[in-house]
Amino acid sequence: MRVPDADVRTARRRSAGAPRAARGLRVLAAAAVLAVVTAGCGIRTTSVPVDAGGAPSRVPCSLSEAALTAAPDAGVPTRVYLVCASGLEPVHRTVRPEGAGPGDSARVATAQALLEAMRERPSERERQAGFTTYLDEPLKVAAGRAGDPEGALRLSRQPEDLPPAALAQIVCTYAESDATSVSGTVLLGGPGKYPVRRYVCDESVKARPESPLPTRAP
Protein backbone atom coordinates (compact mmCIF):
# COMPACT_ATOMS: atom_id res chain seq x y z
CA MET A 1 0.00 0.00 0.00
CA ARG A 2 1.40 3.38 -0.92
CA VAL A 3 1.81 5.86 1.95
CA PRO A 4 0.58 9.36 1.14
CA ASP A 5 3.31 11.93 0.60
CA ALA A 6 1.93 14.12 3.40
CA ASP A 7 2.31 11.33 5.92
CA VAL A 8 5.89 10.70 4.80
CA ARG A 9 6.81 14.34 5.24
CA THR A 10 5.23 14.40 8.70
CA ALA A 11 7.16 11.31 9.79
CA ARG A 12 10.43 12.79 8.53
CA ARG A 13 9.86 16.03 10.45
CA ARG A 14 9.17 14.07 13.63
CA SER A 15 12.27 11.90 13.21
CA ALA A 16 14.46 14.94 12.52
CA GLY A 17 13.07 16.84 15.48
CA ALA A 18 13.74 14.02 17.95
CA PRO A 19 17.57 14.45 18.05
CA ARG A 20 17.21 18.21 18.37
CA ALA A 21 14.78 17.79 21.25
CA ALA A 22 17.13 15.33 22.95
CA ARG A 23 20.04 17.72 22.58
CA GLY A 24 17.93 20.52 24.03
CA LEU A 25 17.03 18.40 27.05
CA ARG A 26 20.68 17.53 27.63
CA VAL A 27 21.67 21.24 27.54
CA LEU A 28 18.92 22.13 30.01
CA ALA A 29 19.98 19.30 32.33
CA ALA A 30 23.62 20.42 32.23
CA ALA A 31 22.63 24.01 33.03
CA ALA A 32 20.55 22.82 35.98
CA VAL A 33 23.47 20.79 37.36
CA LEU A 34 25.84 23.77 36.99
CA ALA A 35 23.40 26.02 38.84
CA VAL A 36 23.18 23.55 41.73
CA VAL A 37 26.97 23.19 41.97
CA THR A 38 27.65 26.92 41.96
CA ALA A 39 24.91 27.51 44.52
CA GLY A 40 26.44 24.85 46.80
CA CYS A 41 29.83 26.57 46.53
CA GLY A 42 28.35 29.91 47.53
CA ILE A 43 29.03 31.41 44.07
CA ARG A 44 26.34 33.61 42.59
CA THR A 45 25.98 33.26 38.86
CA THR A 46 26.04 36.46 36.86
CA SER A 47 26.10 37.40 33.23
CA VAL A 48 27.99 40.63 33.97
CA PRO A 49 31.82 40.53 34.38
CA VAL A 50 32.78 41.38 37.97
CA ASP A 51 36.02 43.16 38.87
CA ALA A 52 36.99 41.84 42.32
CA GLY A 53 40.09 44.00 42.45
CA GLY A 54 43.66 42.93 43.09
CA ALA A 55 44.77 40.28 45.56
CA PRO A 56 45.20 41.45 49.20
CA SER A 57 48.63 42.99 49.75
CA ARG A 58 51.03 41.72 52.39
CA VAL A 59 51.52 43.65 55.61
CA PRO A 60 54.15 46.27 54.72
CA CYS A 61 55.76 46.62 58.20
CA SER A 62 57.10 49.98 57.15
CA LEU A 63 56.13 53.56 57.85
CA SER A 64 56.21 56.64 55.69
CA GLU A 65 59.04 59.13 55.92
CA ALA A 66 56.63 61.60 57.52
CA ALA A 67 56.10 59.24 60.44
CA LEU A 68 59.82 58.59 60.85
CA THR A 69 60.92 62.22 60.69
CA ALA A 70 58.17 63.76 62.81
CA ALA A 71 59.66 66.44 65.04
CA PRO A 72 59.97 65.04 68.57
CA ASP A 73 58.71 67.06 71.50
CA ALA A 74 60.67 67.42 74.73
CA GLY A 75 62.46 64.13 75.20
CA VAL A 76 65.09 61.83 73.75
CA PRO A 77 64.43 60.31 70.29
CA THR A 78 65.11 56.58 70.23
CA ARG A 79 64.01 53.32 68.64
CA VAL A 80 62.01 50.51 70.21
CA TYR A 81 61.06 47.16 68.75
CA LEU A 82 57.48 46.08 68.06
CA VAL A 83 56.10 42.92 66.50
CA CYS A 84 55.03 42.97 62.86
CA ALA A 85 54.29 40.01 60.55
CA SER A 86 55.68 37.57 63.16
CA GLY A 87 58.99 39.43 63.35
CA LEU A 88 60.54 42.38 65.20
CA GLU A 89 60.76 45.77 63.51
CA PRO A 90 61.94 49.09 64.97
CA VAL A 91 59.76 52.18 65.32
CA HIS A 92 60.71 55.65 66.47
CA ARG A 93 59.69 56.92 69.88
CA THR A 94 60.51 59.86 72.15
CA VAL A 95 61.31 58.88 75.71
CA ARG A 96 61.49 61.04 78.82
CA PRO A 97 63.60 59.37 81.53
CA GLU A 98 62.19 60.52 84.86
CA GLY A 99 64.41 60.86 87.89
CA ALA A 100 67.56 60.41 85.83
CA GLY A 101 70.75 61.14 87.74
CA PRO A 102 74.34 59.96 87.67
CA GLY A 103 75.37 56.32 87.26
CA ASP A 104 72.78 53.62 87.88
CA SER A 105 70.02 56.18 88.38
CA ALA A 106 70.26 57.38 84.77
CA ARG A 107 70.53 53.82 83.45
CA VAL A 108 67.45 52.63 85.36
CA ALA A 109 65.46 55.72 84.36
CA THR A 110 66.28 55.11 80.69
CA ALA A 111 65.40 51.42 80.98
CA GLN A 112 62.04 52.28 82.56
CA ALA A 113 61.28 54.89 79.90
CA LEU A 114 62.03 52.35 77.16
CA LEU A 115 59.68 49.85 78.82
CA GLU A 116 56.90 52.42 78.79
CA ALA A 117 57.60 53.26 75.14
CA MET A 118 57.29 49.57 74.22
CA ARG A 119 53.99 49.33 76.09
CA GLU A 120 52.66 52.44 74.36
CA ARG A 121 49.70 51.72 72.12
CA PRO A 122 50.82 51.80 68.46
CA SER A 123 49.54 54.79 66.52
CA GLU A 124 46.82 54.41 63.89
CA ARG A 125 49.44 54.56 61.14
CA GLU A 126 51.52 51.88 62.88
CA ARG A 127 48.49 49.62 63.34
CA GLN A 128 47.61 49.97 59.68
CA ALA A 129 51.17 48.94 58.84
CA GLY A 130 50.75 45.82 61.00
CA PHE A 131 52.64 46.78 64.17
CA THR A 132 51.61 45.54 67.61
CA THR A 133 53.21 45.04 71.02
CA TYR A 134 53.23 41.95 73.22
CA LEU A 135 54.41 43.95 76.22
CA ASP A 136 50.98 44.73 77.64
CA GLU A 137 51.54 44.47 81.41
CA PRO A 138 53.12 47.13 83.62
CA LEU A 139 56.72 46.32 84.52
CA LYS A 140 59.22 48.02 86.76
CA VAL A 141 62.97 47.87 86.36
CA ALA A 142 65.67 48.29 88.99
CA ALA A 143 69.44 48.15 89.13
CA GLY A 144 71.15 44.84 89.79
CA ARG A 145 71.65 43.79 93.37
CA ALA A 146 74.88 42.92 95.18
CA GLY A 147 76.69 40.08 93.43
CA ASP A 148 75.18 40.82 90.01
CA PRO A 149 77.52 41.66 87.13
CA GLU A 150 78.06 45.32 86.35
CA GLY A 151 75.33 46.75 84.15
CA ALA A 152 72.69 44.22 85.22
CA LEU A 153 69.02 45.19 85.40
CA ARG A 154 66.24 43.39 87.25
CA LEU A 155 62.60 43.43 86.16
CA SER A 156 59.60 43.18 88.47
CA ARG A 157 58.82 39.86 86.78
CA GLN A 158 61.13 36.97 85.95
CA PRO A 159 62.20 37.46 82.31
CA GLU A 160 61.60 33.84 81.31
CA ASP A 161 58.02 34.11 82.62
CA LEU A 162 57.20 36.81 80.07
CA PRO A 163 55.77 35.92 76.65
CA PRO A 164 58.79 35.17 74.42
CA ALA A 165 57.87 37.94 71.97
CA ALA A 166 57.61 40.47 74.82
CA LEU A 167 61.03 39.47 76.16
CA ALA A 168 62.44 39.69 72.63
CA GLN A 169 61.09 43.24 72.35
CA ILE A 170 62.80 44.22 75.62
CA VAL A 171 66.13 42.58 74.82
CA CYS A 172 66.40 43.98 71.28
CA THR A 173 65.36 47.46 72.44
CA TYR A 174 67.79 47.45 75.36
CA ALA A 175 70.59 46.05 73.20
CA GLU A 176 70.55 49.17 71.02
CA SER A 177 70.82 51.62 73.91
CA ASP A 178 74.20 52.44 75.43
CA ALA A 179 72.51 52.97 78.80
CA THR A 180 70.98 49.48 78.97
CA SER A 181 73.38 47.24 77.06
CA VAL A 182 76.70 45.67 78.03
CA SER A 183 78.92 45.01 75.02
CA GLY A 184 75.85 44.61 72.82
CA THR A 185 74.14 42.16 75.19
CA VAL A 186 71.53 42.67 77.91
CA LEU A 187 71.93 41.48 81.51
CA LEU A 188 68.45 40.81 82.88
CA GLY A 189 67.11 39.19 86.00
CA GLY A 190 63.87 39.13 87.94
CA PRO A 191 62.77 39.88 91.50
CA GLY A 192 63.69 36.43 92.79
CA LYS A 193 67.02 35.00 93.85
CA TYR A 194 67.77 33.56 90.43
CA PRO A 195 70.96 34.87 88.81
CA VAL A 196 70.75 37.30 85.92
CA ARG A 197 71.14 36.04 82.36
CA ARG A 198 73.01 37.63 79.48
CA TYR A 199 70.54 37.85 76.58
CA VAL A 200 71.50 38.30 72.95
CA CYS A 201 69.51 40.00 70.20
CA ASP A 202 70.57 38.72 66.80
CA GLU A 203 68.88 38.36 63.43
CA SER A 204 67.31 35.05 64.43
CA VAL A 205 65.58 36.74 67.40
CA LYS A 206 64.26 39.53 65.17
CA ALA A 207 62.99 37.00 62.62
CA ARG A 208 61.47 34.57 65.17
CA PRO A 209 60.68 36.44 68.42
CA GLU A 210 58.38 33.62 69.57
CA SER A 211 61.38 31.26 69.89
CA PRO A 212 63.53 31.02 73.06
CA LEU A 213 66.12 33.79 73.22
CA PRO A 214 69.80 32.84 73.08
CA THR A 215 71.78 33.52 76.25
CA ARG A 216 75.42 33.60 77.29
CA ALA A 217 77.15 33.17 80.61
CA PRO A 218 76.94 36.35 82.69
Side-chain angles (χ1 to χ4, degrees):
M1 182 178 74
R2 187 168 179 272
V3 179
D5 291 342
D7 294 340
V8 172
R9 287 193 296 272
T10 300
R12 287 178 177 173
R13 282 198 299 271
R14 289 176 178 175
S15 62
R20 286 197 295 272
R23 286 196 297 272
L25 289 173
R26 287 196 294 270
V27 170
L28 290 174
V33 172
L34 179 60
V36 172
V37 171
T38 55
C41 294
I43 301 173
R44 297 182 59 188
T45 58
T46 176
S47 59
V48 180
V50 176
D51 183 7
S57 59
R58 296 181 61 188
V59 175
C61 294
S62 62
L63 300 172
S64 66
E65 288 298 320
L68 297 178
T69 58
D73 49 9
V76 180
T78 188
R79 298 198 321 170
V80 300
Y81 279 89
L82 301 182
V83 179
C84 187
S86 301
L88 290 185
E89 296 290 342
V91 297
H92 288 248
R93 290 283 186 270
T94 300
V95 299
R96 304 170 185 81
E98 297 181 0
D104 282 349
S105 176
R107 187 164 56 87
V108 171
T110 300
Q112 186 66 51
L114 290 174
L115 279 179
E116 297 304 321
M118 282 180 273
R119 289 188 61 239
E120 182 181 326
R121 179 181 173 86
S123 66
E124 179 63 26
R125 184 173 297 175
E126 291 167 346
R127 290 197 301 274
Q128 290 178 355
F131 287 91
T132 188
T133 179
Y134 279 65
L135 195 65
D136 55 2
E137 65 174 277
L139 288 176
K140 295 295 183 181
V141 62
R145 61 174 62 119
D148 286 345
E150 184 178 356
L153 295 168
R154 285 191 174 264
L155 301 175
S156 56
R157 185 175 175 185
Q158 203 65 28
E160 55 268 26
D161 291 340
L162 294 171
L167 180 57
Q169 286 183 248
I170 295 173
V171 169
C172 288
T173 299
Y174 281 1
E176 289 195 0
S177 172
D178 292 337
T180 52
S181 66
V182 179
S183 301
T185 63
V186 181
L187 291 167
L188 279 182
K193 297 181 179 180
Y194 298 104
V196 299
R197 293 186 178 183
R198 185 183 298 271
Y199 291 92
V200 179
C201 175
D202 55 21
E203 292 306 316
S204 67
V205 173
K206 295 177 182 178
R208 296 181 297 276
E210 293 286 357
S211 300
L213 271 69
T215 59
R216 298 175 184 171

